[in-house]
Amino acid sequence: KMVKHFQVKEELFGNGEILGRDVRMSDLSDLDISVLESGMYQFLPIRDASGRFVYVVRPEVYYTLKGSVSIENIARARWYNWMCMLKDDDMQKGGMVVIMNMIEMANGLLPMAKELKLGRDAVPKRTAAVHFCYDNKSKPWMSAHKLYFMRKGTRARMRAHYVDHYSEVIFNLQTYGIPVNNEYFPADGSVYKKWHLEWMAMQKRQE
């Protein structure tokens, strides 16, 4: 796993001195930063009932990004986000729960989901559970994602939540000990980014 980690890191960031140190925000391109700022991938400022981090993925955001955002831009932004959070001992020990927010998603999977899988598997993170939240039962990508883009152990810990409204998402996740609310899942479907942008500003100051 360590070899794979550095192989992927080299593919994403080059083979200079960056291989021997943490990736900094200043290493990211403008398009990388735009992905990071979008909130497509972000941690929430809450923990679940077991003290695990809560990580939200909003694939629909990809289709709203401006410019020529590539697979590499998304992978670099996500790598930075994960590796920063993995500096926390609680994250290393307890891991995280992932919320895949697929509500009102008209386009299905990201066109590069399979390619992004490589970067995901090269990061030493622990995923305790994955919660798929969706509002369209007719979409075949739900099963496809479960079967082809997840590790076997993660598939066993997946929970699917079919809902008609965001209020149902909040209730369903709360029953699993995830203290989300209307701020993190607004009724209008917008992306909550307040804490995420504050985290980015703090990271920039620290670096």
Side-chain angles (χ1 to χ4, degrees), residues 8 78-79 82 113 115-125 127 145 148-151 154:
V8 174
R78 189 177 61 169
W79 180 285
W82 277 344
E115 289 82 357
L116 287 172
K117 177 177 179 290
L118 179 64
R120 180 204 70 191
D121 292 345
V123 174
K125 58 182 176 54
T127 302
H145 199 291
Y148 298 112
F149 303 126
M150 285 186 173
R151 295 188 184 98
T154 304

Side-chain angles (χ1 to χ4, degrees), residues 2-197:
M2 185 176 294
V3 172
K4 185 175 184 179
H5 173 86
F6 284 102
Q7 286 176 338
V8 174
K9 185 177 183 181
E10 182 177 6
E11 289 178 18
L12 293 177
F13 299 100
N15 59 2
E17 50 88 27
I18 193 171
L19 281 179
R21 63 167 173 82
D22 293 334
V23 176
R24 306 183 189 112
M25 197 176 295
S26 58
D27 297 315
L28 304 180
S29 69
D30 289 344
L31 287 176
D32 298 340
I33 294 293
S34 71
V35 174
L36 196 60
E37 290 176 337
S38 73
M40 180 163 59
Y41 296 97
Q42 63 169 300
F43 288 89
L44 295 181
I46 56 175
R47 307 283 183 93
D48 74 353
S50 298
R52 294 176 294 227
F53 284 66
V54 178
Y55 183 64
V56 178
V57 181
R58 186 73 180 274
E60 182 73 6
V61 173
Y62 167 77
Y63 298 99
T64 68
L65 292 173
K66 297 179 180 179
S68 303
V69 172
S70 67
I71 298 171
E72 288 74 22
N73 298 134
I74 296 174
R76 284 194 290 264
R78 189 177 61 169
W79 180 285
Y80 174 80
N81 191 202
W82 277 344
M83 294 308 295
C84 285
M85 298 304 288
L86 278 167
K87 294 177 184 177
D88 190 297
D89 289 341
D90 290 342
M91 175 70 167
Q92 295 177 29
K93 296 174 183 176
M96 64 183 180
V97 293
V98 178
I99 301 172
M100 294 288 294
N101 184 356
M102 301 287 195
I103 297 173
E104 298 178 355
M105 187 168 177
N107 297 291
L109 286 172
L110 290 178
M112 69 289 288
K114 187 174 182 179
E115 289 82 357
L116 287 172
K117 177 177 179 290
L118 179 64
R120 180 204 70 191
D121 292 345
V123 174
K125 58 182 176 54
R126 296 180 59 190
T127 302
V130 179
H131 295 266
F132 268 90
C133 304
Y134 64 107
D135 60 352
N136 191 333
K137 283 186 175 180
S138 67
K139 291 292 184 183
W141 47 260
M142 256 291 293
S143 296
H145 199 291
K146 178 179 178 181
L147 291 173
Y148 298 112
F149 303 126
M150 285 186 173
R151 295 188 184 98
K152 184 177 180 180
T154 304
R155 291 201 299 266
R157 296 189 294 273
M158 195 202 87
R159 298 291 180 270
H161 306 280
Y162 172 70
V163 299
D164 291 319
H165 191 270
Y166 272 106
S167 60
E168 293 181 53
V169 175
I170 293 170
F171 174 77
N172 287 354
L173 293 175
Q174 286 177 347
T175 63
Y176 282 88
I178 306 174
V180 292
N181 55 35
N182 290 322
E183 182 180 13
Y184 306 132
F185 287 89
D188 61 3
S190 59
V191 180
Y192 168 79
K193 295 190 288 187
K194 180 177 181 292
W195 184 85
H196 180 65
L197 294 177

